[in-house]
PDB file of all heavy atoms in Angstrom:
ATOM      1  N   ALA E 139      21.476 -13.156  -0.713  1.00  0.00           N
ATOM      2  CA  ALA E 139      22.082 -14.469  -0.465  1.00  0.00           C
ATOM      3  C   ALA E 139      23.450 -14.353   0.204  1.00  0.00           C
ATOM      4  O   ALA E 139      24.243 -15.288   0.152  1.00  0.00           O
ATOM      5  CB  ALA E 139      22.207 -15.231  -1.781  1.00  0.00           C
ATOM      6  N   LEU E 140      23.727 -13.212   0.831  1.00  0.00           N
ATOM      7  CA  LEU E 140      25.006 -13.062   1.511  1.00  0.00           C
ATOM      8  C   LEU E 140      25.124 -14.077   2.638  1.00  0.00           C
ATOM      9  O   LEU E 140      24.228 -14.223   3.459  1.00  0.00           O
ATOM     10  CB  LEU E 140      25.139 -11.649   2.087  1.00  0.00           C
ATOM     11  CG  LEU E 140      25.322 -10.493   1.096  1.00  0.00           C
ATOM     12  CD1 LEU E 140      25.421  -9.176   1.846  1.00  0.00           C
ATOM     13  CD2 LEU E 140      26.545 -10.707   0.226  1.00  0.00           C
ATOM     14  N   ASP E 141      26.274 -14.780   2.694  1.00  0.00           N
ATOM     15  CA  ASP E 141      26.505 -15.732   3.772  1.00  0.00           C
ATOM     16  C   ASP E 141      27.501 -15.139   4.770  1.00  0.00           C
ATOM     17  O   ASP E 141      27.935 -13.987   4.640  1.00  0.00           O
ATOM     18  CB  ASP E 141      27.001 -17.067   3.221  1.00  0.00           C
ATOM     19  CG  ASP E 141      28.247 -16.917   2.356  1.00  0.00           C
ATOM     20  OD1 ASP E 141      28.885 -15.838   2.405  1.00  0.00           O
ATOM     21  OD2 ASP E 141      28.594 -17.878   1.644  1.00  0.00           O
ATOM     22  N   ASP E 142      27.852 -15.922   5.770  1.00  0.00           N
ATOM     23  CA  ASP E 142      28.744 -15.422   6.810  1.00  0.00           C
ATOM     24  C   ASP E 142      30.110 -15.046   6.255  1.00  0.00           C
ATOM     25  O   ASP E 142      30.731 -14.065   6.700  1.00  0.00           O
ATOM     26  CB  ASP E 142      28.899 -16.479   7.909  1.00  0.00           C
ATOM     27  CG  ASP E 142      27.612 -16.696   8.691  1.00  0.00           C
ATOM     28  OD1 ASP E 142      26.744 -15.799   8.650  1.00  0.00           O
ATOM     29  OD2 ASP E 142      27.469 -17.763   9.318  1.00  0.00           O
ATOM     30  N   ALA E 143      30.606 -15.815   5.280  1.00  0.00           N
ATOM     31  CA  ALA E 143      31.914 -15.509   4.693  1.00  0.00           C
ATOM     32  C   ALA E 143      31.900 -14.150   4.003  1.00  0.00           C
ATOM     33  O   ALA E 143      32.862 -13.373   4.101  1.00  0.00           O
ATOM     34  CB  ALA E 143      32.314 -16.600   3.705  1.00  0.00           C
ATOM     35  N   ALA E 144      30.816 -13.847   3.302  1.00  0.00           N
ATOM     36  CA  ALA E 144      30.712 -12.553   2.622  1.00  0.00           C
ATOM     37  C   ALA E 144      30.644 -11.412   3.627  1.00  0.00           C
ATOM     38  O   ALA E 144      31.247 -10.346   3.432  1.00  0.00           O
ATOM     39  CB  ALA E 144      29.482 -12.543   1.717  1.00  0.00           C
ATOM     40  N   ILE E 145      29.910 -11.622   4.724  1.00  0.00           N
ATOM     41  CA  ILE E 145      29.818 -10.594   5.761  1.00  0.00           C
ATOM     42  C   ILE E 145      31.188 -10.339   6.386  1.00  0.00           C
ATOM     43  O   ILE E 145      31.582  -9.191   6.629  1.00  0.00           O
ATOM     44  CB  ILE E 145      28.804 -11.016   6.844  1.00  0.00           C
ATOM     45  CG1 ILE E 145      27.390 -11.112   6.256  1.00  0.00           C
ATOM     46  CG2 ILE E 145      28.828 -10.045   8.014  1.00  0.00           C
ATOM     47  CD1 ILE E 145      26.821  -9.803   5.775  1.00  0.00           C
ATOM     48  N   VAL E 146      31.935 -11.409   6.641  1.00  0.00           N
ATOM     49  CA  VAL E 146      33.281 -11.266   7.214  1.00  0.00           C
ATOM     50  C   VAL E 146      34.184 -10.489   6.257  1.00  0.00           C
ATOM     51  O   VAL E 146      34.946  -9.606   6.665  1.00  0.00           O
ATOM     52  CB  VAL E 146      33.875 -12.651   7.533  1.00  0.00           C
ATOM     53  CG1 VAL E 146      35.353 -12.533   7.871  1.00  0.00           C
ATOM     54  CG2 VAL E 146      33.123 -13.295   8.690  1.00  0.00           C
ATOM     55  N   LEU E 147      34.110 -10.808   4.964  1.00  0.00           N
ATOM     56  CA  LEU E 147      34.924 -10.112   3.969  1.00  0.00           C
ATOM     57  C   LEU E 147      34.608  -8.621   3.959  1.00  0.00           C
ATOM     58  O   LEU E 147      35.513  -7.776   3.978  1.00  0.00           O
ATOM     59  CB  LEU E 147      34.682 -10.714   2.590  1.00  0.00           C
ATOM     60  CG  LEU E 147      35.264  -9.929   1.414  1.00  0.00           C
ATOM     61  CD1 LEU E 147      36.788  -9.958   1.452  1.00  0.00           C
ATOM     62  CD2 LEU E 147      34.753 -10.473   0.086  1.00  0.00           C
ATOM     63  N   ILE E 148      33.323  -8.280   3.913  1.00  0.00           N
ATOM     64  CA  ILE E 148      32.930  -6.872   3.886  1.00  0.00           C
ATOM     65  C   ILE E 148      33.392  -6.162   5.155  1.00  0.00           C
ATOM     66  O   ILE E 148      33.860  -5.012   5.110  1.00  0.00           O
ATOM     67  CB  ILE E 148      31.404  -6.759   3.702  1.00  0.00           C
ATOM     68  CG1 ILE E 148      30.997  -7.319   2.337  1.00  0.00           C
ATOM     69  CG2 ILE E 148      30.948  -5.307   3.819  1.00  0.00           C
ATOM     70  CD1 ILE E 148      29.493  -7.461   2.148  1.00  0.00           C
ATOM     71  N   ALA E 149      33.289  -6.844   6.300  1.00  0.00           N
ATOM     72  CA  ALA E 149      33.730  -6.250   7.557  1.00  0.00           C
ATOM     73  C   ALA E 149      35.237  -5.996   7.551  1.00  0.00           C
ATOM     74  O   ALA E 149      35.713  -4.946   8.024  1.00  0.00           O
ATOM     75  CB  ALA E 149      33.347  -7.156   8.731  1.00  0.00           C
ATOM     76  N   LEU E 150      36.018  -6.935   7.017  1.00  0.00           N
ATOM     77  CA  LEU E 150      37.467  -6.749   6.935  1.00  0.00           C
ATOM     78  C   LEU E 150      37.828  -5.566   6.044  1.00  0.00           C
ATOM     79  O   LEU E 150      38.721  -4.772   6.375  1.00  0.00           O
ATOM     80  CB  LEU E 150      38.128  -8.022   6.401  1.00  0.00           C
ATOM     81  CG  LEU E 150      38.167  -9.216   7.355  1.00  0.00           C
ATOM     82  CD1 LEU E 150      38.728 -10.446   6.638  1.00  0.00           C
ATOM     83  CD2 LEU E 150      39.010  -8.894   8.584  1.00  0.00           C
ATOM     84  N   VAL E 151      37.139  -5.432   4.919  1.00  0.00           N
ATOM     85  CA  VAL E 151      37.407  -4.301   4.023  1.00  0.00           C
ATOM     86  C   VAL E 151      37.029  -2.989   4.703  1.00  0.00           C
ATOM     87  O   VAL E 151      37.728  -1.974   4.553  1.00  0.00           O
ATOM     88  CB  VAL E 151      36.640  -4.483   2.697  1.00  0.00           C
ATOM     89  CG1 VAL E 151      36.728  -3.222   1.839  1.00  0.00           C
ATOM     90  CG2 VAL E 151      37.198  -5.672   1.923  1.00  0.00           C
ATOM     91  N   LEU E 152      35.940  -2.987   5.472  1.00  0.00           N
ATOM     92  CA  LEU E 152      35.556  -1.792   6.224  1.00  0.00           C
ATOM     93  C   LEU E 152      36.650  -1.395   7.216  1.00  0.00           C
ATOM     94  O   LEU E 152      37.003  -0.209   7.331  1.00  0.00           O
ATOM     95  CB  LEU E 152      34.236  -2.042   6.952  1.00  0.00           C
ATOM     96  CG  LEU E 152      33.795  -0.958   7.944  1.00  0.00           C
ATOM     97  CD1 LEU E 152      33.632   0.393   7.255  1.00  0.00           C
ATOM     98  CD2 LEU E 152      32.486  -1.362   8.630  1.00  0.00           C
ATOM     99  N   VAL E 153      37.218  -2.362   7.921  1.00  0.00           N
ATOM    100  CA  VAL E 153      38.280  -2.076   8.888  1.00  0.00           C
ATOM    101  C   VAL E 153      39.509  -1.505   8.179  1.00  0.00           C
ATOM    102  O   VAL E 153      40.088  -0.488   8.611  1.00  0.00           O
ATOM    103  CB  VAL E 153      38.645  -3.344   9.680  1.00  0.00           C
ATOM    104  CG1 VAL E 153      39.898  -3.111  10.517  1.00  0.00           C
ATOM    105  CG2 VAL E 153      37.483  -3.767  10.580  1.00  0.00           C
ATOM    106  N   VAL E 154      39.916  -2.144   7.079  1.00  0.00           N
ATOM    107  CA  VAL E 154      41.094  -1.675   6.334  1.00  0.00           C
ATOM    108  C   VAL E 154      40.862  -0.265   5.790  1.00  0.00           C
ATOM    109  O   VAL E 154      41.744   0.611   5.874  1.00  0.00           O
ATOM    110  CB  VAL E 154      41.428  -2.647   5.188  1.00  0.00           C
ATOM    111  CG1 VAL E 154      42.508  -2.062   4.282  1.00  0.00           C
ATOM    112  CG2 VAL E 154      41.878  -3.993   5.739  1.00  0.00           C
ATOM    113  N   THR E 155      39.676  -0.017   5.248  1.00  0.00           N
ATOM    114  CA  THR E 155      39.362   1.305   4.690  1.00  0.00           C
ATOM    115  C   THR E 155      39.367   2.374   5.774  1.00  0.00           C
ATOM    116  O   THR E 155      39.896   3.477   5.582  1.00  0.00           O
ATOM    117  CB  THR E 155      37.991   1.269   3.991  1.00  0.00           C
ATOM    118  OG1 THR E 155      38.005   0.274   2.968  1.00  0.00           O
ATOM    119  CG2 THR E 155      37.670   2.619   3.367  1.00  0.00           C
ATOM    120  N   THR E 156      38.791   2.066   6.928  1.00  0.00           N
ATOM    121  CA  THR E 156      38.755   3.026   8.032  1.00  0.00           C
ATOM    122  C   THR E 156      40.161   3.372   8.503  1.00  0.00           C
ATOM    123  O   THR E 156      40.492   4.553   8.719  1.00  0.00           O
ATOM    124  CB  THR E 156      37.931   2.460   9.199  1.00  0.00           C
ATOM    125  OG1 THR E 156      36.607   2.142   8.746  1.00  0.00           O
ATOM    126  CG2 THR E 156      37.837   3.466  10.335  1.00  0.00           C
ATOM    127  N   LEU E 157      41.009   2.349   8.656  1.00  0.00           N
ATOM    128  CA  LEU E 157      42.391   2.596   9.075  1.00  0.00           C
ATOM    129  C   LEU E 157      43.149   3.412   8.028  1.00  0.00           C
ATOM    130  O   LEU E 157      43.919   4.330   8.374  1.00  0.00           O
ATOM    131  CB  LEU E 157      43.102   1.270   9.322  1.00  0.00           C
ATOM    132  CG  LEU E 157      42.618   0.458  10.534  1.00  0.00           C
ATOM    133  CD1 LEU E 157      43.327  -0.897  10.573  1.00  0.00           C
ATOM    134  CD2 LEU E 157      42.849   1.215  11.827  1.00  0.00           C
ATOM    135  N   ALA E 158      42.929   3.097   6.754  1.00  0.00           N
ATOM    136  CA  ALA E 158      43.628   3.821   5.686  1.00  0.00           C
ATOM    137  C   ALA E 158      43.213   5.290   5.657  1.00  0.00           C
ATOM    138  O   ALA E 158      44.056   6.184   5.498  1.00  0.00           O
ATOM    139  CB  ALA E 158      43.344   3.161   4.336  1.00  0.00           C
ATOM    140  N   PHE E 159      41.929   5.563   5.827  1.00  0.00           N
ATOM    141  CA  PHE E 159      41.476   6.954   5.853  1.00  0.00           C
ATOM    142  C   PHE E 159      42.029   7.683   7.073  1.00  0.00           C
ATOM    143  O   PHE E 159      42.356   8.878   7.004  1.00  0.00           O
ATOM    144  CB  PHE E 159      39.950   7.025   5.840  1.00  0.00           C
ATOM    145  CG  PHE E 159      39.361   7.043   4.463  1.00  0.00           C
ATOM    146  CD1 PHE E 159      38.496   6.045   4.049  1.00  0.00           C
ATOM    147  CD2 PHE E 159      39.669   8.047   3.566  1.00  0.00           C
ATOM    148  CE1 PHE E 159      37.957   6.047   2.778  1.00  0.00           C
ATOM    149  CE2 PHE E 159      39.141   8.072   2.295  1.00  0.00           C
ATOM    150  CZ  PHE E 159      38.283   7.063   1.889  1.00  0.00           C
ATOM    151  N   GLY E 160      42.134   6.980   8.205  1.00  0.00           N
ATOM    152  CA  GLY E 160      42.722   7.595   9.377  1.00  0.00           C
ATOM    153  C   GLY E 160      44.166   8.015   9.150  1.00  0.00           C
ATOM    154  O   GLY E 160      44.617   9.062   9.635  1.00  0.00           O
ATOM    155  N   LEU E 161      44.904   7.217   8.387  1.00  0.00           N
ATOM    156  CA  LEU E 161      46.308   7.508   8.115  1.00  0.00           C
ATOM    157  C   LEU E 161      46.497   8.520   6.981  1.00  0.00           C
ATOM    158  O   LEU E 161      47.416   9.348   7.028  1.00  0.00           O
ATOM    159  CB  LEU E 161      47.053   6.215   7.770  1.00  0.00           C
ATOM    160  CG  LEU E 161      47.209   5.183   8.896  1.00  0.00           C
ATOM    161  CD1 LEU E 161      47.792   3.883   8.349  1.00  0.00           C
ATOM    162  CD2 LEU E 161      48.094   5.739  10.008  1.00  0.00           C
ATOM    163  N   LEU E 162      45.651   8.452   5.964  1.00  0.00           N
ATOM    164  CA  LEU E 162      45.880   9.222   4.738  1.00  0.00           C
ATOM    165  C   LEU E 162      44.908  10.383   4.549  1.00  0.00           C
ATOM    166  O   LEU E 162      44.915  11.020   3.495  1.00  0.00           O
ATOM    167  CB  LEU E 162      45.776   8.296   3.510  1.00  0.00           C
ATOM    168  CG  LEU E 162      46.753   7.124   3.452  1.00  0.00           C
ATOM    169  CD1 LEU E 162      46.447   6.253   2.231  1.00  0.00           C
ATOM    170  CD2 LEU E 162      48.187   7.623   3.398  1.00  0.00           C
ATOM    171  N   TRP E 163      44.076  10.680   5.546  1.00  0.00           N
ATOM    172  CA  TRP E 163      43.005  11.662   5.356  1.00  0.00           C
ATOM    173  C   TRP E 163      43.545  13.006   4.884  1.00  0.00           C
ATOM    174  O   TRP E 163      43.087  13.560   3.880  1.00  0.00           O
ATOM    175  CB  TRP E 163      42.215  11.829   6.652  1.00  0.00           C
ATOM    176  CG  TRP E 163      41.134  12.867   6.552  1.00  0.00           C
ATOM    177  CD1 TRP E 163      41.212  14.187   6.872  1.00  0.00           C
ATOM    178  CD2 TRP E 163      39.802  12.671   6.052  1.00  0.00           C
ATOM    179  NE1 TRP E 163      40.024  14.823   6.623  1.00  0.00           N
ATOM    180  CE2 TRP E 163      39.146  13.923   6.120  1.00  0.00           C
ATOM    181  CE3 TRP E 163      39.108  11.559   5.581  1.00  0.00           C
ATOM    182  CZ2 TRP E 163      37.817  14.091   5.733  1.00  0.00           C
ATOM    183  CZ3 TRP E 163      37.786  11.727   5.177  1.00  0.00           C
ATOM    184  CH2 TRP E 163      37.160  12.975   5.254  1.00  0.00           C
ATOM    185  N   ARG E 164      44.493  13.564   5.596  1.00  0.00           N
ATOM    186  CA  ARG E 164      45.015  14.890   5.250  1.00  0.00           C
ATOM    187  C   ARG E 164      45.654  14.885   3.858  1.00  0.00           C
ATOM    188  O   ARG E 164      45.466  15.820   3.076  1.00  0.00           O
ATOM    189  CB  ARG E 164      46.027  15.354   6.295  1.00  0.00           C
ATOM    190  CG  ARG E 164      45.408  15.672   7.643  1.00  0.00           C
ATOM    191  CD  ARG E 164      46.482  15.958   8.685  1.00  0.00           C
ATOM    192  NE  ARG E 164      47.252  17.126   8.330  1.00  0.00           N
ATOM    193  CZ  ARG E 164      46.928  18.389   8.655  1.00  0.00           C
ATOM    194  NH1 ARG E 164      45.825  18.600   9.365  1.00  0.00           N
ATOM    195  NH2 ARG E 164      47.680  19.400   8.303  1.00  0.00           N
ATOM    196  N   ALA E 165      46.383  13.820   3.544  1.00  0.00           N
ATOM    197  CA  ALA E 165      47.012  13.745   2.225  1.00  0.00           C
ATOM    198  C   ALA E 165      45.976  13.612   1.119  1.00  0.00           C
ATOM    199  O   ALA E 165      46.120  14.219   0.047  1.00  0.00           O
ATOM    200  CB  ALA E 165      47.982  12.565   2.175  1.00  0.00           C
ATOM    201  N   LEU E 166      44.927  12.844   1.363  1.00  0.00           N
ATOM    202  CA  LEU E 166      43.870  12.688   0.358  1.00  0.00           C
ATOM    203  C   LEU E 166      43.148  13.997   0.121  1.00  0.00           C
ATOM    204  O   LEU E 166      42.855  14.368  -1.030  1.00  0.00           O
ATOM    205  CB  LEU E 166      42.885  11.607   0.797  1.00  0.00           C
ATOM    206  CG  LEU E 166      43.362  10.159   0.682  1.00  0.00           C
ATOM    207  CD1 LEU E 166      42.388   9.217   1.386  1.00  0.00           C
ATOM    208  CD2 LEU E 166      43.516   9.763  -0.783  1.00  0.00           C
ATOM    209  N   VAL E 167      42.833  14.719   1.190  1.00  0.00           N
ATOM    210  CA  VAL E 167      42.162  16.021   1.046  1.00  0.00           C
ATOM    211  C   VAL E 167      43.073  16.993   0.302  1.00  0.00           C
ATOM    212  O   VAL E 167      42.635  17.722  -0.599  1.00  0.00           O
ATOM    213  CB  VAL E 167      41.755  16.578   2.420  1.00  0.00           C
ATOM    214  CG1 VAL E 167      41.223  18.005   2.282  1.00  0.00           C
ATOM    215  CG2 VAL E 167      40.696  15.691   3.064  1.00  0.00           C
ATOM    216  N   ALA E 168      44.353  17.008   0.668  1.00  0.00           N
ATOM    217  CA  ALA E 168      45.300  17.904   0.000  1.00  0.00           C
ATOM    218  C   ALA E 168      45.421  17.582  -1.480  1.00  0.00           C
ATOM    219  O   ALA E 168      45.489  18.490  -2.322  1.00  0.00           O
ATOM    220  CB  ALA E 168      46.671  17.810   0.678  1.00  0.00           C
ATOM    221  N   GLU E 169      45.437  16.297  -1.830  1.00  0.00           N
ATOM    222  CA  GLU E 169      45.553  15.921  -3.238  1.00  0.00           C
ATOM    223  C   GLU E 169      44.316  16.310  -4.024  1.00  0.00           C
ATOM    224  O   GLU E 169      44.395  16.669  -5.194  1.00  0.00           O
ATOM    225  CB  GLU E 169      45.814  14.424  -3.371  1.00  0.00           C
ATOM    226  CG  GLU E 169      46.213  14.053  -4.788  1.00  0.00           C
ATOM    227  CD  GLU E 169      46.516  12.580  -4.950  1.00  0.00           C
ATOM    228  OE1 GLU E 169      45.916  11.775  -4.222  1.00  0.00           O
ATOM    229  OE2 GLU E 169      47.328  12.242  -5.824  1.00  0.00           O
ATOM    230  N   CYS E 170      43.143  16.238  -3.388  1.00  0.00           N
ATOM    231  CA  CYS E 170      41.916  16.664  -4.059  1.00  0.00           C
ATOM    232  C   CYS E 170      41.936  18.165  -4.335  1.00  0.00           C
ATOM    233  O   CYS E 170      41.519  18.620  -5.400  1.00  0.00           O
ATOM    234  CB  CYS E 170      40.693  16.322  -3.209  1.00  0.00           C
ATOM    235  SG  CYS E 170      40.330  14.563  -3.126  1.00  0.00           S
ATOM    236  N   LEU E 171      42.414  18.946  -3.351  1.00  0.00           N
ATOM    237  CA  LEU E 171      42.384  20.400  -3.483  1.00  0.00           C
ATOM    238  C   LEU E 171      43.519  20.925  -4.356  1.00  0.00           C
ATOM    239  O   LEU E 171      43.315  21.818  -5.181  1.00  0.00           O
ATOM    240  CB  LEU E 171      42.460  21.047  -2.097  1.00  0.00           C
ATOM    241  CG  LEU E 171      41.307  20.701  -1.154  1.00  0.00           C
ATOM    242  CD1 LEU E 171      41.530  21.329   0.212  1.00  0.00           C
ATOM    243  CD2 LEU E 171      39.977  21.155  -1.736  1.00  0.00           C
ATOM    244  N   ASP E 172      44.723  20.387  -4.171  1.00  0.00           N
ATOM    245  CA  ASP E 172      45.878  20.893  -4.924  1.00  0.00           C
ATOM    246  C   ASP E 172      46.949  19.803  -5.012  1.00  0.00           C
ATOM    247  O   ASP E 172      47.878  19.756  -4.211  1.00  0.00           O
ATOM    248  CB  ASP E 172      46.450  22.138  -4.238  1.00  0.00           C
ATOM    249  CG  ASP E 172      47.438  22.886  -5.130  1.00  0.00           C
ATOM    250  OD1 ASP E 172      47.897  22.295  -6.135  1.00  0.00           O
ATOM    251  OD2 ASP E 172      47.760  24.049  -4.822  1.00  0.00           O
ATOM    252  N   PRO E 173      46.821  18.882  -5.986  1.00  0.00           N
ATOM    253  CA  PRO E 173      47.792  17.775  -6.084  1.00  0.00           C
ATOM    254  C   PRO E 173      49.210  18.250  -6.356  1.00  0.00           C
ATOM    255  O   PRO E 173      50.175  17.632  -5.903  1.00  0.00           O
ATOM    256  CB  PRO E 173      47.248  16.937  -7.245  1.00  0.00           C
ATOM    257  CG  PRO E 173      46.349  17.855  -8.016  1.00  0.00           C
ATOM    258  CD  PRO E 173      45.778  18.804  -7.004  1.00  0.00           C
ATOM    259  N   LEU E 174      49.380  19.363  -7.082  1.00  0.00           N
ATOM    260  CA  LEU E 174      50.730  19.867  -7.364  1.00  0.00           C
ATOM    261  C   LEU E 174      51.410  20.344  -6.090  1.00  0.00           C
ATOM    262  O   LEU E 174      52.613  20.151  -5.903  1.00  0.00           O
ATOM    263  CB  LEU E 174      50.652  21.009  -8.382  1.00  0.00           C
ATOM    264  CG  LEU E 174      50.192  20.612  -9.789  1.00  0.00           C
ATOM    265  CD1 LEU E 174      50.134  21.846 -10.689  1.00  0.00           C
ATOM    266  CD2 LEU E 174      51.117  19.560 -10.385  1.00  0.00           C
ATOM    267  N   PHE E 175      50.624  20.944  -5.188  1.00  0.00           N
ATOM    268  CA  PHE E 175      51.188  21.387  -3.915  1.00  0.00           C
ATOM    269  C   PHE E 175      51.652  20.191  -3.094  1.00  0.00           C
ATOM    270  O   PHE E 175      52.735  20.211  -2.504  1.00  0.00           O
ATOM    271  CB  PHE E 175      50.149  22.197  -3.133  1.00  0.00           C
ATOM    272  CG  PHE E 175      50.575  22.528  -1.730  1.00  0.00           C
ATOM    273  CD1 PHE E 175      51.490  23.536  -1.487  1.00  0.00           C
ATOM    274  CD2 PHE E 175      50.050  21.821  -0.646  1.00  0.00           C
ATOM    275  CE1 PHE E 175      51.891  23.846  -0.193  1.00  0.00           C
ATOM    276  CE2 PHE E 175      50.447  22.113   0.651  1.00  0.00           C
ATOM    277  CZ  PHE E 175      51.370  23.129   0.879  1.00  0.00           C
ATOM    278  N   LEU E 176      50.843  19.126  -3.064  1.00  0.00           N
ATOM    279  CA  LEU E 176      51.215  17.938  -2.307  1.00  0.00           C
ATOM    280  C   LEU E 176      52.510  17.346  -2.837  1.00  0.00           C
ATOM    281  O   LEU E 176      53.393  16.944  -2.060  1.00  0.00           O
ATOM    282  CB  LEU E 176      50.087  16.905  -2.352  1.00  0.00           C
ATOM    283  CG  LEU E 176      50.356  15.581  -1.634  1.00  0.00           C
ATOM    284  CD1 LEU E 176      50.507  15.813  -0.126  1.00  0.00           C
ATOM    285  CD2 LEU E 176      49.226  14.576  -1.895  1.00  0.00           C
ATOM    286  N   ARG E 177      52.629  17.291  -4.162  1.00  0.00           N
ATOM    287  CA  ARG E 177      53.842  16.720  -4.735  1.00  0.00           C
ATOM    288  C   ARG E 177      55.062  17.603  -4.496  1.00  0.00           C
ATOM    289  O   ARG E 177      56.186  17.113  -4.414  1.00  0.00           O
ATOM    290  CB  ARG E 177      53.644  16.500  -6.238  1.00  0.00           C
ATOM    291  CG  ARG E 177      52.609  15.427  -6.559  1.00  0.00           C
ATOM    292  CD  ARG E 177      52.293  15.372  -8.034  1.00  0.00           C
ATOM    293  NE  ARG E 177      51.169  14.485  -8.296  1.00  0.00           N
ATOM    294  CZ  ARG E 177      50.571  14.358  -9.478  1.00  0.00           C
ATOM    295  NH1 ARG E 177      51.007  15.068 -10.516  1.00  0.00           N
ATOM    296  NH2 ARG E 177      49.554  13.534  -9.633  1.00  0.00           N
ATOM    297  N   SER E 178      54.836  18.920  -4.393  1.00  0.00           N
ATOM    298  CA  SER E 178      55.961  19.833  -4.205  1.00  0.00           C
ATOM    299  C   SER E 178      56.495  19.819  -2.773  1.00  0.00           C
ATOM    300  O   SER E 178      57.691  20.033  -2.551  1.00  0.00           O
ATOM    301  CB  SER E 178      55.558  21.263  -4.586  1.00  0.00           C
ATOM    302  OG  SER E 178      54.555  21.750  -3.704  1.00  0.00           O
ATOM    303  N   VAL E 179      55.619  19.573  -1.800  1.00  0.00           N
ATOM    304  CA  VAL E 179      56.046  19.607  -0.395  1.00  0.00           C
ATOM    305  C   VAL E 179      56.251  18.219   0.185  1.00  0.00           C
ATOM    306  O   VAL E 179      56.766  18.087   1.300  1.00  0.00           O
ATOM    307  CB  VAL E 179      55.020  20.371   0.475  1.00  0.00           C
ATOM    308  CG1 VAL E 179      54.855  21.795  -0.026  1.00  0.00           C
ATOM    309  CG2 VAL E 179      53.679  19.665   0.510  1.00  0.00           C
ATOM    310  N   SER E 180      55.854  17.197  -0.547  1.00  0.00           N
ATOM    311  CA  SER E 180      55.972  15.842  -0.009  1.00  0.00           C
ATOM    312  C   SER E 180      56.194  14.862  -1.142  1.00  0.00           C
ATOM    313  O   SER E 180      55.750  15.069  -2.272  1.00  0.00           O
ATOM    314  CB  SER E 180      54.691  15.470   0.751  1.00  0.00           C
ATOM    315  OG  SER E 180      54.679  14.101   1.096  1.00  0.00           O
TER     316      SER E 180
END
Side-chain angles (χ1 to χ4, degrees):
L140 290 179
D141 55 15
D142 292 340
I145 296 295
V146 169
L147 169 67
I148 296 171
L150 288 174
V151 171
L152 172 59
V153 171
V154 171
T155 302
T156 303
L157 292 175
F159 272 120
L161 293 172
L162 300 176
W163 177 267
R164 291 173 63 87
L166 286 170
V167 173
E169 191 179 30
C170 289
L171 299 177
D172 193 344
L174 293 179
F175 172 77
L176 178 65
R177 293 172 188 172
S178 65
V179 301
S180 170

